[in-house]
Amino acid sequence: MGAFDELPELRRRGLETMEKVYGFEMSDGAGDFFGYTADHLFADIWNRPGLSDRDRRLLLIGLLAGTGQADVLGIQVPAALANDELDADALREVVIFLCHYAGWPMGARLNGIVEEAIGKAARAARKGADGAEKDA
């Protein structure tokens, strides 16, 4: 039984998609803003045909970089890496490309976010490999 099975189908689908997109556990929330976010943006828009999650992530990262929203990039970049939508090489290429459109200062900020996410993922992979070797 899943964490959201008792919720209406639309909310369940929205929360499950939010967990997938953000890469961390979600819980149901109150209010109209949360409702539109879960039920419309994530249950509907993120699940429409025509674009892959990778496509959506690339568009979102570009938009966030272009509008200077580094705080949200700090969520989206690690999630793209964790979900295997973009690997380290692709993320670094995104930085180089966006520097020329979003501006060098924002590109530099994005580069810091990307390198931090890559470093954390590499450390977690090494830690996981070390733990697997100890268990063997």
Side-chain angles (χ1 to χ4, degrees):
M1 187 163 183
F4 308 124
D5 289 347
E6 300 299 319
L7 296 173
E9 170 64 19
L10 191 64
R11 183 60 55 95
R12 181 195 59 75
R13 190 171 67 236
L15 290 169
E16 288 172 352
T17 302
M18 287 173 81
E19 284 190 338
K20 181 178 74 168
V21 169
Y22 289 138
F24 51 79
E25 288 185 16
M26 297 297 302
S27 59
D28 196 14
D32 288 343
F33 179 81
F34 187 86
Y36 285 118
T37 301
D39 301 345
H40 178 68
L41 176 60
F42 286 96
D44 184 24
I45 301 303
W46 270 86
N47 287 294
R48 291 178 52 81
L51 294 174
S52 67
D53 286 348
R54 182 182 189 275
D55 295 337
R56 287 182 172 87
R57 187 84 68 183
L58 280 168
L59 288 165
L60 184 52
I61 289 171
L63 174 73
L64 294 170
T67 57
Q69 297 182 52
D71 55 336
V72 183
L73 282 165
I75 296 169
Q76 295 297 327
V77 168
L81 194 59
N83 289 336
D84 293 324
E85 296 160 350
L86 298 166
D87 63 15
D89 291 337
L91 283 168
R92 288 177 174 131
E93 196 60 35
V94 166
V95 169
I96 292 168
F97 183 79
L98 288 177
C99 278
H100 293 83
Y101 288 93
W104 215 260
M106 189 58 219
R109 179 69 180 114
L110 176 59
N111 186 63
I113 293 166
V114 163
E115 293 302 331
E116 181 180 340
I118 292 168
K120 282 183 179 178
R123 287 188 297 278
R126 281 193 303 273
K127 186 176 181 181
D130 291 345
E133 288 174 7
K134 288 178 185 176
D135 292 339

